[in-house]
Amino acid sequence: MLPIVVEHIHKSFGDLKALHDISFTVNEGELFGLIGPDGAGKSTLFRILTTLLLADKGNATVNGLDVVKQYRTIRREVGYMPGRFSLYQDLTIEENLNFFATIFNTTVEENYDLIKDIYEQIAPFAKRPAGKLSGGMKQKLALCCALVHKPKVLFLDEPTTGVDPVSRKEFWDMLRRLKTKGIPILVSTPYMDEAILCDRVALMQKGAIMQINTPANIVAGFGMPVWAMKADNMYRLIRDLRAFEGVYSCYAFGEYLHVTVNTELENVKAYLAPLGHEGLEIKPAKPGIEDAFMQLMQEQNELA
Ligand SMILES: Nc1ncnc2c1ncn2[C@@H]1O[C@H](COP(=O)(O)OP(=O)(O)OP(=O)(O)O)[C@@H](O)[C@H]1O
């Protein structure tokens, strides 16, 4: 039995198609990522799978249970960390955790082995109200609360959004450790650097899945050379490159632009030369998952 099966799910809000024909499966023990920008439909899908929202069309099962007919059992069996902070701000760390344990008819002690690693990091602040914790600590507490009843499947909706880079890294280290305990995890993120930490990912945009694969296969399937470019005036460089028909895609990547071209590179250089860009640098770049994602987004936009 697969932990998550999604078949042809559709969901609209008025005229807006939030999800369009979404299908995928999550395997036993898998860390599966839904990757996409704001508005891609990730939270809507989480809400359908955690039985908080009904799809217009399509079927889905979680741990073999139908999200419509068996919603009560699913609610008992899954852990869900919603995108927005879900804890009680006035309750302390300890009180929040005990509260979540109680509503699932269990105790913190009963499943302590599962949360021990994470809880120990916030235990020194056990008496502090959740509202007074840093973003990274809130996120650890929210994860403990989602795990306290030993869920059979874990849903984490944008757990690292708005969290500092160090806490983001720590969080992903925690997820890798959780994975070794065999809990299948569906996690969403808008951050591409987190995509590569998943076993498989679905790249989403505007309510549709563009590709599902392992991060390595997605990168391997990227068929174009990528050029890293920079100049003193990056704003003008990006504007000039995007205005040139020989440039296929161009977007900011760290301190460089990542550029793909549908002409010889020499033609791009010849186009830029008279424009007088100071400090212009052009060098080959190694394609990453961001490049694959941008290419897929562009292809989808061209089809639309
Ligand atoms: N209850 C609702 N009523 C109307 N529109 C909605 C509702 N919920 C979501 N939407 C719209 O559906 C689309 C998908 O939203 P969703 O929250 O699922 O995206 P997301 O990928 O999770 O991004 P975000 O990080 O912004 O939440 C967006 O355009 C959003 O405005």
Side-chain angles (χ1 to χ4, degrees):
M1 181 183 55
L2 292 169
I4 302 177
V5 178
V6 179
E7 291 173 320
H8 306 292
I9 289 282
H10 291 251
K11 179 73 190 177
S12 293
F13 297 105
D15 292 340
L16 184 112
K17 278 190 185 169
L19 294 174
H20 181 75
D21 201 15
I22 300 290
S23 299
F24 67 94
T25 54
V26 174
N27 297 320
E28 221 28 86
E30 194 171 36
L31 178 51
F32 190 100
L34 290 176
I35 318 294
D38 284 352
K42 307 180 299 295
S43 301
T44 304
L45 188 55
F46 270 92
R47 288 165 62 211
I48 290 170
L49 294 176
T50 53
T51 79
L52 302 176
L53 187 70
L54 289 172
D56 299 335
K57 224 161 82 174
N59 303 305
T61 59
V62 174
N63 213 25
L65 302 164
D66 184 276
V67 290
V68 180
K69 297 189 197 102
Q70 292 162 296
Y71 72 94
R72 280 176 199 277
T73 320
I74 291 181
R75 287 180 189 183
R76 278 200 300 272
E77 292 191 353
V78 305
Y80 175 39
M81 187 172 156
R84 281 178 206 92
F85 186 47
S86 57
L87 304 167
Y88 291 93
Q89 308 286 321
D90 296 336
L91 298 188
T92 63
I93 286 185
E94 215 170 52
E95 288 165 344
N96 265 289
L97 201 53
N98 281 324
F99 173 79
F100 279 90
T102 309
I103 55 173
F104 282 104
N105 210 10
T106 183
T107 59
V108 176
E109 293 70 35
E110 202 168 324
N111 302 314
Y112 190 66
D113 61 317
L114 192 59
I115 61 167
K116 183 173 175 284
D117 282 356
I118 311 163
Y119 187 70
E120 278 175 354
Q121 301 176 42
I122 51 174
F125 313 96
K127 304 277 182 226
R128 191 180 288 185
K132 298 230 158 64
L133 300 174
S134 68
M137 275 160 52
K138 281 180 183 169
Q139 174 213 42
K140 283 174 190 153
L141 174 58
L143 182 59
C144 285
C145 291
L147 283 170
V148 75
H149 60 297
K150 210 167 193 175
K152 294 187 175 143
V153 185
L154 188 58
F155 292 91
L156 307 173
D157 190 6
E158 296 201 19
T160 57
T161 294
V163 172
D164 67 89
V166 174
S167 301
R168 270 175 59 192
K169 186 175 174 309
E170 278 177 14
F171 193 82
W172 278 88
D173 290 344
M174 286 185 295
L175 290 194
R176 302 287 333 168
R177 283 199 296 274
L178 269 181
K179 212 183 100 70
T180 62
K181 308 212 169 170
I183 302 178
I185 304 173
L186 182 68
V187 59
S188 71
T189 178
Y191 303 120
M192 293 291 149
D193 57 337
E194 294 183 345
I196 53 165
L197 303 169
C198 299
D199 296 324
R200 280 190 309 145
V201 294
L203 301 181
M204 284 185 81
Q205 186 196 210
K206 295 184 189 160
I209 290 180
M210 300 183 291
Q211 195 174 13
I212 300 176
N213 214 327
T214 61
N217 283 345
I218 289 176
V219 175
F222 184 79
M224 294 170 105
V226 178
W227 302 99
M229 301 191 188
K230 75 171 181 179
D232 293 349
N233 187 336
M234 290 295 268
Y235 174 73
R236 198 159 72 79
L237 182 62
I238 200 167
R239 197 192 55 196
D240 287 346
L241 283 167
R242 283 185 175 161
F244 183 49
E245 60 185 15
V247 166
Y248 181 70
S249 72
C250 167
Y251 68 96
F253 187 87
E255 55 173 328
Y256 284 85
L257 302 179
H258 268 195
V259 182
T260 59
V261 297
N262 47 25
T263 180
E264 297 296 318
L265 182 67
E266 290 315 309
N267 294 335
V268 181
K269 286 183 177 168
Y271 160 76
L272 288 174
L275 299 176
H277 281 281
E278 308 246 329
L280 182 64
E281 193 187 320
I282 301 180
K283 61 179 188 180
K286 201 163 160 268
I289 198 155
E290 296 85 351
D291 300 295
F293 189 80
M294 296 309 277
Q295 189 186 42
L296 287 166
M297 285 219 298
Q298 187 139 337
E299 282 168 9
Q300 201 195 34
N301 287 339
E302 280 165 9
L303 286 174

